[in-house]
Amino acid sequence: QVQLVESGGGLVQAGGSLRLSCAASGRYVSVNRYSMGWFRQAPGKEREFVAAISWIGGSTYYADSVKGRFTISRDNAKNTLYLQMNSLKPEDTAMYYCAASPEVTVRATMKIDYWGQGTQVTVSS
């Protein structure tokens, strides 16, 4: 079992920055053997992929809508995943979820074994 707890969300003006964190813990499971990702869901919309990072080699993959503005990273020593979000836009407003995947190759449709509860990001215009 893996537990994921997100933090760092909040209200920010357009053009601003936020850094989300996801603390991972696992009983009898090494969270460092999971690829990790961020997804988001805006009101009235389906959950969508944002970014992911593989547990082997640290390769990353981003949605086109955030490429060049968001950076995903992980600190395996701290079992923590990050999402640095710069140049935020009102359309980035959503609940952001951390997720853990057993797959090595990260992509938007990768299988997800565990989800966090989410952290709200609101970008005002």
Side-chain angles (χ1 to χ4, degrees):
Q1 188 74 13
V2 173
Q3 291 80 43
L4 304 173
V5 180
E6 302 95 335
S7 61
L11 174 64
V12 64
Q13 288 188 333
S17 299
L18 281 175
R19 188 175 82 154
L20 305 184
S21 299
C22 172
S25 60
R27 190 170 186 179
Y28 312 123
V29 173
S30 172
V31 296
N32 293 331
R33 297 181 70 85
Y34 280 86
S35 293
M36 302 294 293
W38 289 98
F39 293 74
R40 66 186 182 186
Q41 186 169 17
K45 295 187 177 181
E46 293 187 353
R47 189 173 297 187
E48 64 174 3
F49 170 81
V50 176
I53 184 167
S54 176
W55 70 275
I56 292 182
S59 60
T60 57
Y61 183 74
Y62 295 91
D64 288 342
S65 59
V66 306
K67 202 172 295 183
R69 299 188 299 122
F70 291 10
T71 302
I72 189 171
S73 62
R74 64 191 297 168
D75 186 334
N76 287 341
K78 296 182 178 180
N79 291 333
T80 302
L81 176 73
Y82 301 100
L83 184 68
Q84 178 66 44
M85 304 186 296
N86 298 328
S87 302
L88 283 161
K89 305 175 181 180
E91 51 263 44
D92 293 318
T93 295
M95 184 71 79
Y96 283 71
Y97 297 91
C98 173
S101 170
E103 299 187 19
V104 173
T105 301
V106 291
R107 59 188 189 276
T109 57
M110 63 186 186
K111 178 180 181 291
I112 300 299
D113 279 355
Y114 302 102
W115 292 95
Q117 292 300 306
T119 185
Q120 177 67 39
V121 171
T122 303
V123 184
S124 63
S125 57

